[in-house]
Amino acid sequence: MVAIRAKSRPLAVFSFILILMSGCGGALNGEQKPDRREAEAEKPKEPYTMKIYAAGVAETEFDDRFRQVLKQKFPHITVEYFPGVKGATLPNLVAEGNIPDLIRTDVPTLRTAYLDLSLGYDLNDFVKKYKYDLSRFTSVFIDEIVDAGRTGALYGLPVPPYFPQALYYNKDLFDKFGVPYPKKTGITWDEVYDLAKKLTRVEGGAVYRGFSSHPGNTLRDNQFSLPILDPSADQLAEPEKWKVLFNNLLRFYEIPNNTIESTATLDGSAFAKGNVAMMTNQHSVYLKLPPELNWDLAAYPTLEGAPKLMPQRGPAYWSISNTSTHKEDAFEMIMVMLADEVQMADSRKGITTTLNSPVIKSALGKESPVYSTKNMDAVNVYPPIPYTKKRKAGLTDVPGLTLQNLQSQTFVDVAMGKMDVNTALRQLDEKLKAELAKEKSK
């Protein structure tokens, strides 16, 4: 009996091995079938083209900031870039059926250049799926895009830069006339006005202006966060506050020899000529000042009765087209382009971050040949001011650019002496109502 048990043992062991091989998906010739999920993960992804549209952003800028990092993270995706040139604007592409997957939107044109084209897509589901932390961003930027959409949807995530206001000053003119530079922080509009009077003069046949601005930006990005069109009624919002804002800026152009240019854009570019001592304007990498101009920055002047916050124009946003067949990849691309390391690289170049990171903010301009010698802390002295209130859902609205242009030209007309402030604001109110009537008739 002992001999029989000894012979049976190898057979039993062999049977056990066969059972194990069967349970593990064993194969002939010693091969083992790989786990199906592992095989899918190891399988190369199918290559395809992702179309990205960003009107007004040159392809060289996109390449410098984003293309390489996207190529590293998504080697199977080829990016086709559209900068919105003539003949290839977003409406052109939509009409051709060549709709981009990713679109750079902004608040003033969110309706006319995105939602009205039936491209709107809510990112909230992807935010939940990826547990994406929206608190990374300066909260006013997230709040504004949600409010602007008027549906509660999140139509985009904020991409740098945004455009904080600051006080620019020409150091050479201050030195020439023996006037101390503006205080770096805490200067008031009244103090700027006093400096402007001292620095406006005619010498040797040359006119030196104490102050200029881009009135459209200065009034739009105002310190009351005051909208042009009332959020709840078909009229100019709070005319008495607009009167304060108009009068505050108007007094500078009433200084003899500090005459405003014929358009807001021309007055905004006057500082670059070298004969203007101070300018309020946005900090923007797109604002090109001559290299020979010896300028610096101070914090934006505070206004009596207004919060001590920094006026700003919000950023653009990365949005996804609802027609895209690559929405999830598009969202992953957005996350990569808005990552901390990408925004830190942007900040070092002088591009303001949309994140609330003090470390990234403090790096602003540190590696820029232009901004590394400037007081870039000036744009971070005060927190960004809340965005202007948007129209309530259900009320007819007017495109943001239309509102801005009406307001800007109205002020220029006042500053040129064509009408007084009260008349100008009354006419602006009438123009707004006319625009609303146009929109309602569509």
Side-chain angles (χ1 to χ4, degrees), residues 60 119 203 244 261 339 424:
T60 51
L119 300 178
E203 283 199 4
V244 170
E261 301 285 348

Side-chain angles (χ1 to χ4, degrees), residues 57-76:
V57 178
E59 189 162 5
T60 51
E61 179 185 337
F62 178 84
D63 291 350
D64 179 56
R65 294 173 62 191
F66 304 122
R67 192 180 289 276
Q68 191 57 39
V69 69
L70 291 177
K71 188 175 181 180
Q72 290 172 352
K73 298 285 186 180
F74 307 95
H76 63 295

